[in-house]
């Protein structure tokens, strides 16, 4: 970084500053440390500069400057990606977090949103009109990263992945050009950004198709950890014939009192809540649970339900893969591994994928994970940096134990930054070759490489 500071004169930085509507933040700026902090506290990188963009012209100026001076570029939207791709060492961070415009048209049921918008903000704007689109299960997640990686959430059974509801996008390419991508304009690029991540450019505007979503039935039930095997077998049977309107996750966590818990969380987004209550009655009767927090609620409440479990600044390490099925052997392995969990903050999820998200052809978008019924995700969380090795080690051991039950696919947004090119390829399967061709066309020099990279 010192080398870069010396290489680029003070006048060079001042000239850049004059081209911006937004802020140029350098290592000696007062707000430098606050600006480089992201959700995962384990990521501690020091960029040479951060450009907090206020307008698409700032993004163009930043891209052109970085290309001219051969700077590594990271792009920050919500900064929630656990792998920390939003921040780089010594290069430039193009920070979109202040670009927060949202326009909702209730007549066409469409929303246009800028890349700094968080899911809680988009949900609030769309829910004012009784509308929503599939979004992240934590309201502080950014819309940009989630959409570009595919986008799973509570509405995916009924309305598909987030990227399935993307109608168009505006983006800045590696050569500083502003393009539109849709089914009509640059359709190859439009195909690639629906699941291909930030490999092809910086999206500065997303246009979504919205759907009617009023009050839902949501919440969770909690059981003692001793019931984990019985509960997962119930979960498997319960989800087998679930209607599209009902999405259910199984999970493990530790209660605030320090008690290991197994639970199920759900969202029923059908129009007839009485019908929904009948459907979920067996889940509420099973056990019976120690705690039952399920009931009718605003969709916004459901979307923020998990927020307290993942506060900003915790240390985090993830491992994930899709499961071919939730067999007795897989459940037994899960049961045997979970008691040794090393952090009380760690959560392990099994997400049920079905309905609309699995009915789209695997090659219709770059997002390919549409065939497996379950996704297995370990989210290890802790507070002390000297505990990194123990929690990362436990996560990897659990992941290795579950490998016999994995399909070939993994959700790209759940990949950590230590997994290598083969795991990125496995996220895309047969779509990878086509993605490389699109990358070669729009970013042949791999300018955008701080991501789960698709090399041209």
């Amino acid at each position: 970084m010192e080398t870069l500071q010396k290489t680029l004169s003070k006048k060079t930085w001042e000239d850049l500053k004059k081209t911006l509507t937004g802020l140029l933040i350098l290592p000696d700026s007062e707000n430098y440390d606050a600006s480089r902090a992201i959700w995962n506290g384990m990521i501690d990188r020091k960029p040479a500069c951060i450009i907090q963009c206020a307008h698409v012209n700032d993004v163009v100026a930043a891209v052109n400057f970085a290309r001219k001076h051969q700077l590594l570029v990271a792009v920050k939207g919500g900064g929630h990606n656990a792998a920390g791709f939003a921040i780089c060492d010594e290069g430039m961070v193009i920070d979109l977090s202040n670009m927060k415009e949202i326009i909702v048209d209730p007549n066409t049921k469409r929303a246009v949103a800028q890349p700094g918008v968080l899911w809680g903000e988009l949900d609030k704007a769309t829910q004012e009109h009784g509308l929503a689109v599939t979004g992240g299960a934590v309201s502080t997640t950014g819309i940009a990263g989630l959409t570009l990686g595919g986008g799973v959430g509570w509405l995916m059974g009924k309305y598909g992945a987030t990227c399935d509801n993307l109608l168009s996008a505006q983006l800045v390419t590696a050569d500083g050009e502003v393009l539109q991508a849709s089914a009509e304009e640059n359709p190859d690029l439009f195909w690639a950004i629906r699941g291909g991540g930030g490999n092809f450019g910086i999206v500065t505007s997303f246009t979504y198709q919205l759907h009617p979503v009023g009050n839902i039935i949501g919440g969770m039930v909690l059981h003692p950890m001793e019931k984990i095997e019985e509960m997962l077998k119930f979960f498997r049977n319960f989800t087998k014939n679930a209607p599209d309107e009902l999405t259910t996750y199984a999970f493990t966590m530790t209660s605030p009192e320090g008690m290991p818990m197994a639970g199920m969380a759900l969202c029923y987004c059908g129009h007839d809540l009485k019908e929904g209550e009948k459907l979920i009655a067996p889940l509420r009767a099973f056990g019976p649970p120690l705690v039952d927090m399920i009931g009718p609620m605003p969709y916004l409440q459901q979307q923020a339900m998990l927020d307290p479990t993942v506060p900003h600044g915790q240390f985090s390490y993830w491992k994930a893969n899709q499961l071919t099925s939730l067999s007795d052997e897989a459940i037994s392995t899960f049961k045997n591994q979970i008691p040794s969990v090393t952090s009380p903050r760690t959560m392990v999820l099994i997400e049920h994928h079905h309905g609309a998200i699995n009915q789209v052809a695997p090659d219709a978008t770059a997002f390919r994970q549409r065939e497996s019924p379950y996704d297995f995700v370990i989210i290890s969380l802790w507070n002390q940096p000297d505990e990194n090795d123990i929690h990362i080690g436990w996560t990897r051991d659990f992941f290795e134990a579950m490998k016999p039950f994995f399909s070939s696919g993994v959700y790209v947004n759940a990949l950590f930054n230590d997994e290598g090119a083969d795991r990125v390829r496995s996220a895309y399967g047969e779509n990878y070759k086509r993605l490389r061709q699109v990358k070669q066309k729009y970013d042949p020099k791999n300018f955008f490489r701080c991501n789960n990279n698709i090399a041209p």
Side-chain angles (χ1 to χ4, degrees), residues 35-36 38 43 45 47 73-81 83-88 92-95 450-451:
S35 301
R36 67 184 182 88
I38 55 173
I43 309 297
R45 300 189 187 128
V73 165
V75 183
K76 179 184 177 187
H80 215 278
N81 176 267
F85 292 127
I87 299 289
C88 61
M92 171 189 284
V93 172
I94 300 177
D95 183 350
C450 285
N451 47 38

Side-chain angles (χ1 to χ4, degrees), residues 286-305:
F286 167 77
L290 292 175
V291 179
D292 181 345
M293 295 182 279
I294 289 175
M297 64 179 67
Y299 177 65
L300 289 177
Q301 185 180 332
Q302 175 77 5
Q303 281 291 81
M305 175 175 68

Side-chain angles (χ1 to χ4, degrees), residues 317-430:
Y317 184 77
W318 293 38
K319 290 292 256 183
N321 209 89
Q322 296 209 304
L323 301 172
T324 51
S325 66
L326 195 53
S327 64
D328 284 353
E329 294 79 11
I331 289 171
S332 179
T333 302
F334 191 112
K335 176 194 173 185
N336 291 337
Q337 290 292 317
I338 198 66
S340 63
V341 64
T342 50
S343 170
R345 308 214 68 145
T346 290
M347 295 179 294
V348 184
L349 307 176
I350 298 177
E351 304 173 351
H352 182 224
H353 289 211
H354 73 303
I357 193 169
N358 284 7
Q359 286 159 9
V360 176
D363 61 353
T365 64
F367 176 67
R368 192 180 172 83
Q369 305 311 318
R370 302 185 183 275
E371 290 155 338
S372 297
Y374 299 104
D375 201 22
F376 169 75
V377 189
I378 310 170
I379 303 173
S380 281
L381 299 158
W382 64 97
N383 295 320
Q384 301 301 325
D386 58 356
E387 297 176 5
N388 289 3
D389 290 348
I390 185 173
H391 303 309
I392 291 172
W394 178 85
T395 307
R396 289 174 176 167
D397 289 346
F398 194 170
F399 185 76
E400 284 297 318
M402 291 293 288
K403 267 189 175 176
F405 317 108
F406 288 168
S407 73
S408 60
V410 58
Y411 177 34
V412 75
N413 279 347
L415 287 177
F416 216 75
N417 56 12
D418 60 352
E419 305 217 41
D422 287 346
R423 286 278 280 161
V424 176
R425 278 192 207 97
S426 71
Y428 297 115
E430 292 176 25

